[in-house]
Amino acid sequence: MRPLKGVLLGLLMLPGLALAETIGEVSTVFKWVGPNDKIVVEAFDDPKVAGVTCYLSRAKTGGVKGGLGLAEDRAEASIACRQVGPIAFKDTLKDGEEVFKERTSLVFKTMQVVRFFDARRNTLVYLVYSDRVIEGSPQNAVTAIPILPWGQ
């Protein structure tokens, strides 16, 4: 019982990262066994900035390995963040702060979204990239949201 309490307490102490909601997906490669390869579109709200939603598209590997969660997904991803309501900061923002992270292989590879604040232009900038423990990928995508008044 004590180990279980320790694990639950450890999970509660993790920094708050956004959880993605699947918006849709399209099949790209037919697989005879297991799920098809696909492109998945997910949405998540920035946990520290109310009024911002990011949409992420990425490849998911299918087949037997993909169905079992053992396949390594490709590093390519695309991101588009939008103002969907009045923008309000819930907490202090740190440049390069991770707002979303998802495992893209069994152990060593993750895809993550980090946020920057361009004070000079009053703009939030979001960067998506993939990394590995040993060697990351230079493939990335960026989106920016100017902070504007919302409605009257």
Side-chain angles (χ1 to χ4, degrees), residues 6-135:
V7 168
L8 291 175
L9 182 61
L11 289 174
L12 290 174
M13 295 175 66
L14 288 174
L17 292 180
L19 298 174
E21 168 190 351
T22 300
I23 300 299
E25 58 188 42
V26 294
S27 224
T28 57
V29 175
F30 174 75
K31 299 286 186 177
W32 286 103
V33 179
N36 292 340
D37 288 358
K38 42 184 113 165
I39 297 172
V40 178
V41 177
E42 299 170 316
F44 65 89
D45 297 326
D46 188 321
K48 286 192 177 179
V49 183
V52 171
T53 298
C54 293
Y55 296 90
L56 193 62
S57 70
R58 63 188 187 86
K60 280 194 86 167
T61 304
V64 174
K65 284 185 177 180
L68 295 173
L70 303 174
E72 183 172 300
D73 294 334
R74 297 179 60 112
E76 297 91 355
S78 177
I79 189 167
C81 296
R82 298 294 182 259
Q83 181 175 358
V84 295
I87 290 182
F89 300 110
K90 300 176 186 176
D91 202 352
T92 305
L93 304 183
K94 298 176 194 147
D95 271 350
E97 184 174 16
E98 189 175 274
V99 295
F100 179 81
K101 184 173 189 174
E102 189 164 313
R103 180 181 62 80
T104 54
S105 76
L106 183 60
V107 179
F108 299 112
K109 189 174 177 184
T110 60
M111 181 197 51
Q112 41 202 328
V113 176
V114 295
R115 175 197 337 98
F116 299 92
F117 178 61
D118 179 355
R120 182 172 166 214
R121 294 166 190 85
N122 200 33
T123 300
L124 292 166
V125 179
Y126 293 83
L127 170 71
V128 61
Y129 67 98
S130 182
D131 68 354
R132 283 190 189 152
V133 173
I134 305 294
E135 177 185 337

